[in-house]
Amino acid sequence: MANDHLTLTETAKLLLHSKEYDLPAYTGSEGEVGLDITQLRSKTGAITFDSGYGNTGSCASAITFIDGEKGILRYRGYPIEELAKNSNFIEVSFLLIFGHLPSKTELERFHFNLTHHSLIHEEMKKFYEGFPSSAHPMGILSSMVSSLSAFYPEAGYNADVELNITRLIAKLKTIAAFSYKKSIGQPYVYPRNDLSYSGDLLHMMFAVPSENYEVPKVVEEALDLLLILHADHEQNCSTSTVRMVGSSEANLFASISAGICALWGPLHGGANQQVIEMLEKIKADGSDYKKYISMAKDKESKFKLMGFGHRVYKNFDPRAQILKASADKVLSQLGVKDPLLDIARNLEEVALKDPFFIERKLYPNVDFYSGIIYRAIGIPTNMFTVMFALGRLPGWIAHWKEMRETPGARIYRPRQIYTGETKRSFIQLEKR
Ligand code: SDX
């Protein structure tokens, strides 16, 4: 059973239809308690109801820990603040996927494999020709990732997982960079083995054949930090999608392609693009940020303060804290003065003192400041969510791999409470 590796710590009592039932309760390594309802329906005939799964644990996981009340985020036990300060994206990817910080030899081997799998099949370039230049790069990304299963048909659920993990991490940045070059009508720039992961991505995006483009160190470091901060976030919408699709034993590429589609939504990874578009709209509206704070509080307006609020964080999102500080450093190092940063700061300052936001525990999330930095390092707005996907890829892979390795893991198949018509007889067309 998938619960075998959980420790039973107490029993909860459920009273339903005047009958008492025992519910086993498990406690995680950080003290979180989960009631086991895997036998609930067979014992009581009832199911639980939890719209949006805000109170439902879909799995036990050892990858990432979040304490939303305290604003804590740890990858495999390491605080995000320490990883952001001391590590790099490839090392963090290894940590998330394989569960430990790599030795020097392991890291060198991982990096060597990633650089030697970064080309995509030349035939795949034909797919780009089929997309209109206006195609959103997230649509291209999910299509191209799904098409990898056509080029590696052997990459089934039980295939050489490590080889396919390497292929996917190595090729996703090439696919992303090629989609950018396609959108601006420039020739593709091929991967280079002498650059870091982030450096190579930036080089493929911004190099042109007519000049020798050197990736500025501050830009490379800023992107690497952004990728680290986005690398995993436990059972968020897109990661749960990857687990859902993978639970049917779909291959890795198909599962990740589904995760990319889930991330695209404006309430999830698409929010970083929405934040910049919102800030630009406020700037165009005389930078009247107080007007937009009032709109966000007025349900009738349907306006949301994008980049604010979170299902889990009811305190500061630690990633937003790190990015807020980094935005200052990167913009001053680049000599960039972005009025949108001032608007963002003003919005945050006013919102955090406003009872509407305080009562609902709405704080800036990872998307609130990330777009400011992406802009400053030259990433176009419609590529922001692609950057999020590149960062989140190791997390998605780690969860797909963990699920696949969990003893007794079952296909995801939630139940429902039916509220439709009760039984009725068919009415012939002429009698309707
Ligand atoms: C990410 O899950 C993850 O971990 C995600 C993520 C990751 O790393 O994977 O952290 C990345 O997706 C961050 C979130 C990016 N999305 C946005 O910034 C979009 C704006 N935020 C909201 O749409 C919202 O806050 C969500 C989607 C993030 C969370 O939605 P919930 O948990 O379902 O909360 P809710 O919509 O029920 O809101 C609770 C209350 C409501 O008011 P009341 O009905 O109680 O009066 O807060 C209000 C909401 O109207 N509210 C907002 C708001 N967010 C919530 N009001 C104004 N502006 C907002 N941004």
Side-chain angles (χ1 to χ4, degrees), residues 233 267-268 299 305 307-308 310-311 319 360 365 392:
H233 217 238
L267 295 187
H268 189 17
K299 291 266 180 256
L305 200 54
F308 253 75
H310 200 278
R311 175 62 60 78
R319 303 167 298 178
R360 291 164 181 79
N365 59 51
R392 187 51 53 87

Side-chain angles (χ1 to χ4, degrees), residues 190-210:
Y190 280 72
R192 275 180 36 183
N193 293 354
D194 60 324
L195 298 175
S196 71
Y197 187 92
S198 302
D200 190 31
L201 170 59
L202 291 162
H203 184 264
M204 286 193 282
M205 285 183 69
F206 299 128
V208 286
S210 50

Side-chain angles (χ1 to χ4, degrees), residues 323-347:
L323 287 172
K324 182 178 177 182
S326 169
D328 263 334
K329 179 176 156 243
V330 171
L331 269 67
S332 60
Q333 283 175 322
L334 290 170
V336 169
K337 186 97 183 78
D338 188 346
L340 300 191
L341 179 56
D342 299 331
I343 296 172
R345 280 230 179 74
N346 290 330
L347 279 172

Side-chain angles (χ1 to χ4, degrees), residues 61-209:
S61 178
I63 299 169
T64 290
F65 172 67
I66 299 174
D67 182 324
E69 283 66 35
K70 295 179 186 152
I72 290 172
L73 170 59
R74 300 188 196 125
Y75 295 163
R76 299 284 187 181
Y78 296 98
I80 191 66
E81 295 81 3
E82 290 186 35
L83 292 169
K85 190 165 167 237
N86 303 305
S87 190
N88 63 63
F89 179 60
I90 291 309
E91 186 175 64
V92 164
S93 298
F94 185 101
L95 170 67
L96 286 167
I97 294 168
F98 299 106
H100 64 275
L101 285 172
S103 65
K104 191 168 180 303
T105 312
E106 286 174 317
L107 188 58
E108 284 167 356
R109 178 172 160 269
F110 191 53
H111 183 69
F112 176 88
N113 289 338
L114 291 179
T115 48
H116 289 77
H117 284 276
S118 55
L119 287 174
I120 59 173
H121 196 294
E122 283 291 299
E123 292 288 282
M124 287 183 72
K125 286 167 40 180
K126 292 178 183 159
F127 297 154
Y128 287 100
E129 290 154 32
F131 288 106
S133 55
S134 58
H136 195 288
M138 284 295 278
I140 296 176
L141 202 71
S142 62
S143 311
M144 297 300 266
V145 167
S146 183
S147 74
L148 285 172
S149 44
F151 289 88
Y152 302 100
E154 77 287 356
Y157 190 76
N158 298 309
D160 179 342
V161 173
E162 202 166 316
L163 172 58
N164 290 310
I165 287 171
T166 303
R167 280 172 171 154
L168 189 48
I169 298 176
K171 296 178 193 309
L172 196 66
K173 66 174 157 65
T174 308
I175 291 170
F178 280 20
S179 67
Y180 172 61
K181 285 299 197 188
K182 146 89 190 171
S183 71
I184 57 173
Q186 283 188 4
Y188 302 128
V189 172
Y190 280 72
R192 275 180 36 183
N193 293 354
D194 60 324
L195 298 175
S196 71
Y197 187 92
S198 302
D200 190 31
L201 170 59
L202 291 162
H203 184 264
M204 286 193 282
M205 285 183 69
F206 299 128
V208 286

Side-chain angles (χ1 to χ4, degrees), residues 129-431:
E129 290 154 32
F131 288 106
S133 55
S134 58
H136 195 288
M138 284 295 278
I140 296 176
L141 202 71
S142 62
S143 311
M144 297 300 266
V145 167
S146 183
S147 74
L148 285 172
S149 44
F151 289 88
Y152 302 100
E154 77 287 356
Y157 190 76
N158 298 309
D160 179 342
V161 173
E162 202 166 316
L163 172 58
N164 290 310
I165 287 171
T166 303
R167 280 172 171 154
L168 189 48
I169 298 176
K171 296 178 193 309
L172 196 66
K173 66 174 157 65
T174 308
I175 291 170
F178 280 20
S179 67
Y180 172 61
K181 285 299 197 188
K182 146 89 190 171
S183 71
I184 57 173
Q186 283 188 4
Y188 302 128
V189 172
Y190 280 72
R192 275 180 36 183
N193 293 354
D194 60 324
L195 298 175
S196 71
Y197 187 92
S198 302
D200 190 31
L201 170 59
L202 291 162
H203 184 264
M204 286 193 282
M205 285 183 69
F206 299 128
V208 286
S210 50
E211 62 181 42
N212 178 30
Y213 173 73
E214 286 282 321
V215 178
K217 203 70 191 151
V218 62
V219 172
E220 181 179 352
E221 287 169 353
L223 180 58
D224 210 67
L225 172 64
L226 282 157
L227 295 175
I228 289 173
L229 295 176
H230 286 83
D232 193 49
H233 217 238
E234 52 130 286
Q235 304 309 319
N236 59 86
C237 177
S238 54
T239 301
S240 296
T241 301
V242 170
R243 280 182 171 257
M244 169 74 83
V245 173
S247 73
S248 71
E249 298 197 359
N251 67 65
L252 175 64
F253 304 131
S255 305
I256 299 299
S257 176
I260 292 169
C261 293
L263 187 73
W264 194 356
L267 295 187
H268 189 17
N272 53 20
Q273 177 173 343
Q274 300 282 325
V275 168
I276 290 299
E277 289 169 3
M278 172 187 76
L279 294 174
E280 282 173 334
K281 187 174 175 192
I282 296 172
K283 178 170 173 283
D285 194 359
S287 298
D288 183 0
Y289 56 89
K290 289 182 180 172
K291 171 182 165 187
Y292 289 82
I293 291 279
S294 305
M295 282 166 62
K297 291 158 61 178
D298 170 15
K299 291 266 180 256
E300 299 306 308
S301 75
K302 303 272 186 271
F303 173 78
K304 281 185 184 286
L305 200 54
M306 299 312 276
F308 253 75
H310 200 278
R311 175 62 60 78
V312 174
Y313 287 123
K314 300 308 170 190
N315 195 322
F316 279 94
D317 179 336
R319 303 167 298 178
Q321 298 285 86
I322 294 167
L323 287 172
K324 182 178 177 182
S326 169
D328 263 334
K329 179 176 156 243
V330 171
L331 269 67
S332 60
Q333 283 175 322
L334 290 170
V336 169
K337 186 97 183 78
D338 188 346
L340 300 191
L341 179 56
D342 299 331
I343 296 172
R345 280 230 179 74
N346 290 330
L347 279 172
E348 178 183 5
E349 191 185 335
V350 172
L352 294 187
K353 291 176 188 153
D354 187 299
F356 176 90
F357 294 86
I358 295 169
E359 283 156 21
R360 291 164 181 79
K361 298 183 178 178
L362 302 176
Y363 290 89
N365 59 51
V366 69
D367 294 306
F368 193 62
Y369 285 107
S370 55
I372 299 280
I373 301 172
Y374 285 134
R375 257 164 69 95
I377 63 176
I379 306 287
T381 306
N382 72 344
M383 287 288 287
F384 285 9
T385 311
V386 169
M387 295 297 121
F388 194 147
L390 284 163
R392 187 51 53 87
L393 180 61
W396 286 334
I397 289 171
H399 283 274
W400 184 87
K401 183 173 176 285
E402 181 181 70
M403 179 194 62
R404 188 177 171 281
E405 292 166 355
T406 301
R410 306 166 72 206
I411 189 169
Y412 280 26
R413 203 292 186 200
R415 304 301 295 255
Q416 62 170 19
I417 292 179
Y418 176 69
T419 56
E421 297 285 344
T422 52
K423 186 178 177 186
R424 51 184 177 166
S425 301
F426 184 77
I427 302 165
Q428 293 301 330
L429 182 59
E430 53 277 5
K431 292 181 181 163

